[in-house]
């Protein structure tokens, strides 16, 4: 089957830190076995010194490319993508892995014909095992003893400050920023330099998403802001808990999500969309949801309905025996009447 081969650039052949990061990515991805994470089939070094990773081949685009063209996303679509991303990161947390570099460029949207989009989390190159950092020699090498590693725009306050060991809640903060960006079309913090941006992550509160896009449901805004709490203890402890909270909120709001088994029909898509001059079908999601709701209501109305029937289930007791006794007496009386009528008829005929 087709595969993708990721090769470390030759300019890093003499860079031991880059090589170790590349190997770490292969080992971390090899620990992951989840439908929303990339699967690594093999990794190693060629005879002439090229480091490579063999992985699944996907067709689609990164979330970064998608947001550059389509942001902000409809809340239902944003929730669907985030639920799938959380599932993959939650599996990493279960394996004691912290990603540490979650961002739209590391989230791949795999689009397959006639099927819903599938999210894949990529690049575990800076992932670390949840162990004491002072005892992790690889971690000390990769961070170059105190240098910031990751992408400041999506890094947690504790990761920017570098003053405390990271926990899975650090990844939750990054996921919260990604969800914020999907819903609003902008990240909560921007600055001219990485250091200034890191300072904002540590000290400033994010602007509420509804101030940017008022149509965002208030309950969804609450989930996003909780993930962006400055103190790790105030956030969901890991991606699994964040996913549970987001899923409960989505179901309460009636938003479609990754676990939905309802796929829109082509007729519903055509009814909810308009055809562009180039022949593409442009779908209005709000209209599509109305069409799907109407189809579901019609389907429910078309099902045959049956009235309830009360069937008494009595124990065989004195009442039932009494009823049978009365029936037997009535039958005996009827038989005696018939016999008496026959005898009378025969006697009358004899007299005549």
């Amino acid at each position: 089957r087709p595969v993708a081969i990721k090769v470390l650039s030759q300019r890093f052949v003499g860079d031991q830190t880059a090589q170790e990061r590349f190997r770490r990515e292969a080992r971390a991805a090899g620990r992951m076995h989840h439908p929303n994470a990339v699967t690594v089939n093999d990794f190693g070094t060629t005879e002439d010194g090229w480091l490579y990773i063999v992985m699944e081949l996907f067709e689609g685009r990164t979330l970064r490319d998608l947001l550059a063209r389509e942001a902000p996303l409809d809340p239902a679509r944003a929730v669907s993508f985030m639920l799938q991303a959380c599932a993959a990161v939650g599996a990493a947390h279960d394996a004691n892995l912290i990603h540490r570099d979650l961002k739209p460029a590391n989230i791949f949207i795999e689009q397959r014909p006639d099927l819903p989009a599938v999210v894949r989390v990529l690049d575990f190159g800076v992932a670390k095992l949840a162990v004491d950092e002072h005892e992790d020699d690889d971690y000390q090498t990769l961070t170059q003893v105190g240098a910031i590693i990751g992408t400041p725009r999506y890094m947690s306050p504790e990761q920017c400050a570098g003053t405390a060991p990271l926990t899975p809640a650090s990844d939750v903060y990054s996921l919260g920023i990604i969800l914020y960006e999907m819903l609003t079309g902008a990240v909560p913090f921007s600055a001219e330099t990485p250091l200034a941006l890191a300072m904002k992550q540590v000290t400033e509160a994010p602007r509420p998403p509804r101030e940017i896009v008022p149509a965002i449901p208030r309950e969804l805004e609450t989930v996003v802001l909780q993930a962006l709490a400055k103190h790790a203890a105030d956030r969901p402890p890991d991606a699994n808990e964040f996913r549970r909270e987001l899923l409960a909120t989505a179901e309460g709001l009636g938003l479609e999500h990754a676990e939905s088994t309802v796929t829109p029909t082509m007729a519903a898509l055509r009814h909810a969309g308009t055809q562009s001059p180039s022949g593409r079908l442009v779908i209005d999601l709000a209209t599509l949801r109305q069409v799907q709701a109407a189809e579901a209501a019609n389907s429910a109305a078309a099902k045959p309905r049956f009235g309830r029937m009360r069937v008494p289930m009595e124990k065989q007791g004195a009442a039932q025996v009494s009823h049978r006794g009365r029936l037997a007496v009535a039958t005996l009386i009827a038989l005696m009447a018939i016999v008496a009528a026959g005898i009378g008829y025969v006697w009358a005929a004899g007299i005549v």
Side-chain angles (χ1 to χ4, degrees):
R1 62 181 181 179
V3 296
I5 300 178
K6 183 175 181 177
V7 180
L8 183 65
S9 175
Q10 278 293 87
R11 73 169 184 256
F12 295 117
V13 169
D15 189 334
Q16 295 299 319
T17 299
Q19 292 186 27
E20 181 55 39
R21 172 173 173 167
F22 196 80
R23 294 189 185 95
R24 177 181 283 262
E25 177 183 359
R27 292 195 297 268
R31 293 168 60 93
M32 293 289 299
H33 301 282
H34 193 276
N36 297 116
V38 63
T39 298
V40 170
N41 300 317
D42 191 17
F43 73 95
T45 307
T46 64
E47 293 180 356
D48 49 356
W50 291 80
L51 274 71
Y52 66 88
I53 301 176
V54 181
M55 60 182 68
E56 293 177 280
L57 178 65
F58 302 129
E59 294 184 6
R61 53 182 169 170
T62 66
L63 181 59
R64 167 54 57 226
D65 294 336
L66 187 147
L67 291 176
R69 299 181 182 183
E70 303 181 27
L73 304 185
D74 177 85
R77 190 181 184 195
V79 167
S80 173
F81 289 164
M82 182 51 58
L83 286 171
Q84 295 184 66
C86 285
V89 179
H93 292 169
D94 289 340
N96 292 324
L97 282 171
I98 302 172
H99 191 288
R100 299 199 305 153
D101 196 23
L102 290 167
K103 55 187 177 183
N106 285 339
I107 295 178
F108 194 86
I109 311 298
E110 182 186 10
Q111 191 64 60
R112 298 169 294 177
D114 304 322
L115 291 173
V118 176
V119 172
R120 307 277 187 165
V121 177
L122 311 175
D123 194 4
F124 282 82
V126 296
K128 66 177 286 293
L129 290 172
V131 298
D132 188 345
E133 296 171 357
H134 298 289
E135 297 178 0
D136 188 349
D137 293 335
D138 289 341
Y139 174 78
Q140 292 287 359
T141 301
L142 290 177
T143 56
Q144 298 176 356
V145 192
I148 292 178
I149 188 168
T151 307
R153 191 174 296 168
Y154 301 93
M155 286 165 53
S156 67
E158 61 269 26
Q159 189 174 359
C160 289
T163 56
L166 297 185
T167 67
S170 179
D171 282 345
V172 171
Y173 187 93
S174 302
L175 292 169
I177 291 185
I178 295 170
L179 181 55
Y180 185 109
E181 185 176 5
M182 286 195 288
L183 292 170
T184 66
V187 292
F189 305 109
S190 296
E192 294 183 359
T193 65
L195 181 58
L197 185 54
M199 289 297 296
K200 287 188 175 183
Q201 295 282 22
V202 174
T203 61
E204 294 188 10
R207 184 182 177 188
R210 284 169 54 83
E211 290 186 4
I212 304 172
V213 180
I216 296 172
R218 191 177 303 277
E219 297 85 350
L220 188 56
E221 179 186 64
T222 300
V223 174
V224 174
L225 293 178
Q226 183 181 3
L228 297 182
K230 295 302 179 186
H231 298 289
D234 296 330
R235 301 176 215 138
D238 56 33
N240 293 315
E241 183 59 31
F242 180 48
R243 186 181 187 280
R244 280 191 285 270
E245 294 181 7
L246 181 59
L247 179 58
T249 301
E251 290 180 336
L253 293 170
L255 301 177
E256 302 93 311
H257 52 76
E259 295 180 343
S260 174
T261 57
V262 179
T263 302
T265 63
M266 185 55 66
L269 291 173
R270 289 198 179 99
H271 191 279
T274 56
Q275 191 170 7
S276 68
S278 63
R280 293 183 177 181
L281 189 62
V282 181
I283 307 298
D284 179 73
L285 292 177
T287 305
L288 176 59
R289 280 198 286 276
Q290 294 175 0
V291 172
Q292 287 184 288
E295 287 183 347
N298 292 336
S299 176
K303 293 181 180 180
R305 296 181 178 273
F306 300 94
R308 292 185 177 183
M309 179 181 296
R310 291 184 61 86
V311 179
M313 301 295 292
E314 298 181 358
K315 293 183 179 180
Q316 186 170 354
Q320 189 172 1
V321 173
S322 175
H323 173 73
R324 289 182 177 179
R326 288 194 298 271
L327 183 61
V329 171
T331 304
L332 180 60
I333 292 174
L335 289 173
M336 291 177 64
I338 294 172
V339 172
I343 294 174
Y345 175 77
V346 174
W347 180 77
I351 294 177
V352 174

